[in-house]
Amino acid sequence: MASLVDRYGRRFPYLRLSLIEACNFRCSYCLPQGYRPRPGLAPPLALAEIRRLIDGFARLGMSKVRLTGGEPSLRRDLGEIIAAIAAVPGVAKVALTSNGVLLQRRIADWHAAGLTHLNVSVDALDRARFAAITGHDRLPVVLDGIDRALALGLAAVKLNAVLLRGLNDDQLPAFLDYLRTRDVGLRFIELMQTGDNRAYFRRHHYRAEALERELQAQGWSLQPRAADAGPARDYAHPDYAGRIGIIAPYSRDFCAGCNRLRVTAGGDLRLCLFGNVGIPLRPLLQADAQAGELQAALTRQLGLKSAGHGLHRGETGLTPHLASLGG
Ligand code: SAM
Ligand code: SF4
């Protein structure tokens, strides 16, 4: 069987699929003015197109799909999408990254449809800070939604927090308190520069190394890296039920551990979050009979994936903001 391996020997069991570029939040680092449709943007892939896409990837060894956006829960057919993906042979994990606003109402349905993993973005545990960063005073509803997800017993529930100098760099004690009794993973993500946030990046970028030194001083220890792990550096502490992961895209080995491919809401394959090429797959998703053609295109394109991103050189590629690609 052909499989997804690039010329550097990296394997790609993990696909991040954006379901929609629109979002109902206005995170200051992502869509500070709120979502505005970009001219000429193709409509999001329809359910049948998504099913063919996932089937094509799964036949090449992909086993984990993360649904992201924009805000994926704005798709009314999210439950059907989850169910369709979960039914594709070879797909073992169906994950969702969401701002969490609709969890309270919908998580039970999504779980029943086959959702196994959930990441919720929570950049602060202080209500006013959360509102200031996201543009919406919805922290209580998000936290309640997370508790519901935990009660359902998904395979994993994680919180994502972007590290922001001057905006949430005082939140560590509150986050640690949260982790003391909850079996969740908290991932601190270093702010990434995108096409739209250059000035913001200069003001608020906060290096993950500083946080890691603080964690180590407080007794958190770096865990050995699992063979199939993503790019996070994981920390644990004997007194805490939760764990902490650090995602530092500017650190030296970040790209060496790359195990993921991305597809935009409109069906463009992106080999790298910050790459300069998008390969339109939609024309290959119009009929089941195109399956062979799709798989051939995917393996051919992977041969072109480069060793690493150009973020250190300020090259942000085609990505104006991460809502355009799902982070
Ligand atoms: N709307 C969903 C959410 O916020 O979870 C999914 C899409 S969002 C683009 C995916 C993740 O990317 C979120 O955890 C968000 O905080 C993160 N993100 C967005 N812009 C970022 C940036 N410039 N640097 C680092 N992380 C970013
Ligand atoms: Fe929306 Fe997620 Fe971007 Fe925030 S980070 S504006 S929730 S897409």
Side-chain angles (χ1 to χ4, degrees), residues 23 25 27 29-31 70 99 323:
C23 185
F25 267 19
C27 298
Y29 47 82
C30 182
L31 296 173
N99 62 26

Side-chain angles (χ1 to χ4, degrees), residues 16-325:
R16 296 179 69 106
L17 171 62
S18 172
L19 291 181
I20 187 166
E21 204 178 288
C23 185
N24 47 0
F25 267 19
R26 295 193 301 270
C27 298
S28 53
Y29 47 82
C30 182
L31 296 173
Q33 317 299 330
Y35 175 68
R36 292 184 185 154
R38 292 188 289 148
L41 192 68
L45 293 181
L47 181 60
E49 293 171 319
I50 291 173
R51 191 181 41 71
R52 291 185 193 115
L53 176 82
I54 300 301
D55 189 68
F57 272 96
R59 284 173 192 271
L60 296 171
M62 183 276 299
S63 57
K64 174 175 177 183
V65 184
R66 177 171 298 283
L67 303 173
T68 175
E71 178 45 45
S73 62
L74 293 182
R75 288 277 301 241
R76 283 172 200 275
D77 56 354
L78 179 57
E80 288 157 88
I81 293 172
I82 291 170
I85 293 176
V88 171
V91 174
K93 297 177 182 173
V94 186
L96 177 72
T97 300
S98 168
N99 62 26
V101 164
L102 293 177
L103 281 181
Q104 228 184 17
R105 277 191 275 147
R106 306 278 308 277
I107 186 64
D109 290 347
W110 299 336
H111 179 238
L115 188 73
T116 57
H117 292 62
L118 174 69
N119 285 22
V120 186
S121 298
V122 183
D123 293 327
L125 286 172
D126 173 86
R127 188 166 169 173
R129 286 294 169 84
F130 182 92
I133 294 170
T134 62
H136 289 263
D137 182 17
R138 304 303 300 276
L139 180 66
V141 97
V142 171
L143 292 179
D144 185 61
I146 294 171
D147 284 340
R148 282 179 197 230
L150 287 169
L152 286 169
L154 275 82
V157 176
K158 289 184 185 164
L159 268 56
N160 287 352
V162 178
L163 290 169
L164 301 168
R165 176 183 302 286
L167 297 176
N168 69 359
D169 48 0
D170 62 346
Q171 294 287 296
L172 186 61
F175 277 121
L176 293 183
D177 219 36
Y178 187 89
L179 294 182
R180 201 173 278 279
T181 53
R182 287 183 183 81
D183 180 14
V184 297
L186 167 63
R187 291 154 22 121
F188 285 113
I189 306 171
E190 221 178 271
L191 178 64
M192 292 176 239
Q193 183 179 317
T194 60
D196 283 357
N197 77 0
R198 284 162 201 263
Y200 183 98
F201 178 84
R202 275 197 300 278
R203 251 194 330 275
H204 296 296
H205 180 236
Y206 179 85
R207 288 201 75 85
E209 279 90 345
L211 175 74
E212 289 184 77
R213 277 196 299 277
E214 176 62 30
L215 288 173
Q216 282 165 356
Q218 295 199 31
W220 289 80
S221 49
L222 187 60
Q223 302 301 294
R225 200 172 176 282
D228 61 345
R233 290 198 287 268
D234 290 315
Y235 285 83
H237 191 298
D239 300 340
Y240 290 81
R243 294 153 313 286
I244 295 180
I246 305 283
I247 305 206
Y250 294 91
S251 73
R252 236 178 334 119
D253 292 333
F254 186 73
C255 298
C258 184
N259 64 354
R260 58 205 55 199
L261 295 169
R262 294 177 165 83
V263 172
T264 65
D268 286 2
L269 173 67
R270 294 286 184 83
L271 299 171
C272 171
L273 186 49
F274 295 100
N276 281 311
V277 266
I279 302 103
L281 298 177
R282 184 172 237 150
L284 302 176
L285 301 173
Q286 300 314 305
D288 292 347
Q290 290 173 293
E293 224 184 316
L294 172 66
Q295 287 167 49
L298 292 176
T299 29
R300 196 169 54 242
Q301 288 302 331
L302 208 54
L304 305 175
K305 185 169 161 70
S306 60
H309 61 58
L311 275 184
H312 301 99
R313 299 183 296 276
E315 292 169 13
T316 56
L318 288 178
T319 307
H321 45 68
L322 291 197
S324 70
L325 195 48

